[in-house]
Amino acid sequence: MKRVEIKDHIIKTASELFYKNGYNSTGINEIIHESGIAKATLYNHFESKEELCLAYLKFMNRNFLDDIKEFCYSKPDNTSRILSIFDYLELFFNKKTFNGCWCIKTMSEIPKNDKHIRKEIQNQKNQFIEFIKELTVVNFKTKSSKSRNSKIRQIYLLYESAVGESHLHQKNWPIKEAKTICAQII
């Protein structure tokens, strides 16, 4: 395997383990074992578990944004595109591997003063807000900037709460209810 392929393999393996078992519950030795690599190989690519966590967060976010954008932009109009974020979430929820939000799970496990991981998660959440803004630009163009930004944040909060509550209850009703409220907002 080439160096880039090995690094990608490590990230993918660590991502599956961190998402499934949690950041703190997944040890470096488990990642090494599951990846089928030597300890030196892991440390040639990542200086620390924190660095590997940042790669995991970026990997998950890149895949999420690519997938949700493709899904939403396949819809015929702006209103259905906005509402489709909840349809996408329901598809994600129905996957056997669904385990809630990787960002929130990771935030709950890191020390309060871990600025690198916190900053990465904040960046990812802001990217998602920007995506919602892209989807809503036509729907809210007549509103003031303050009102438009408030509506965008409301949709974001509905989505985020639907992720957490569907994970907690292991039911899809939070997603359906959030979509209904979102339809009233837009």
Side-chain angles (χ1 to χ4, degrees), residues 96-154:
K96 190 171 102 176
T97 58
F98 178 76
N99 200 18
C101 174
W102 59 90
C103 289
I104 300 304
K105 287 173 60 69
T106 304
M107 272 304 301
S108 71
E109 295 187 68
I110 65 167
K112 188 175 183 177
N113 62 352
D114 190 324
K115 294 177 182 164
H116 295 107
I117 293 175
R118 179 182 306 278
K119 184 176 179 181
E120 178 58 34
I121 291 170
Q122 288 171 338
N123 180 48
Q124 290 184 17
K125 296 300 184 178
N126 286 329
Q127 287 176 27
F128 186 55
I129 292 169
E130 283 300 310
F131 172 61
I132 293 170
K133 185 177 182 178
E134 285 175 31
L135 293 176
T136 61
V137 71
V138 171
N139 295 62
F140 301 144
K141 68 181 174 185
T142 59
K143 302 208 179 292
S144 70
S145 175
K146 185 177 179 182
S147 174
R148 182 173 50 247
N149 287 337
S150 178
K151 298 287 185 194
I152 292 163
R153 289 190 302 264
Q154 289 171 21

Side-chain angles (χ1 to χ4, degrees), residues 3-4 6-7 10 40-47 51:
R3 182 168 172 77
V4 173
I6 293 170
K7 186 172 186 174
I10 295 167
T41 302
L42 182 117
Y43 285 110
N44 281 334
H45 293 281
F46 300 97
E47 292 181 11
E51 189 178 319

Side-chain angles (χ1 to χ4, degrees), residues 60-72:
M60 295 293 283
N61 190 57
R62 183 175 51 251
N63 289 336
F64 166 72
L65 285 176
D66 288 349
D67 292 348
I68 198 168
K69 285 179 180 184
E70 181 180 339
F71 184 83
C72 292

Side-chain angles (χ1 to χ4, degrees), residues 18 34 39 45 120:
F18 287 157
E34 291 294 320
K39 188 177 262 190
H45 293 281
E120 178 58 34

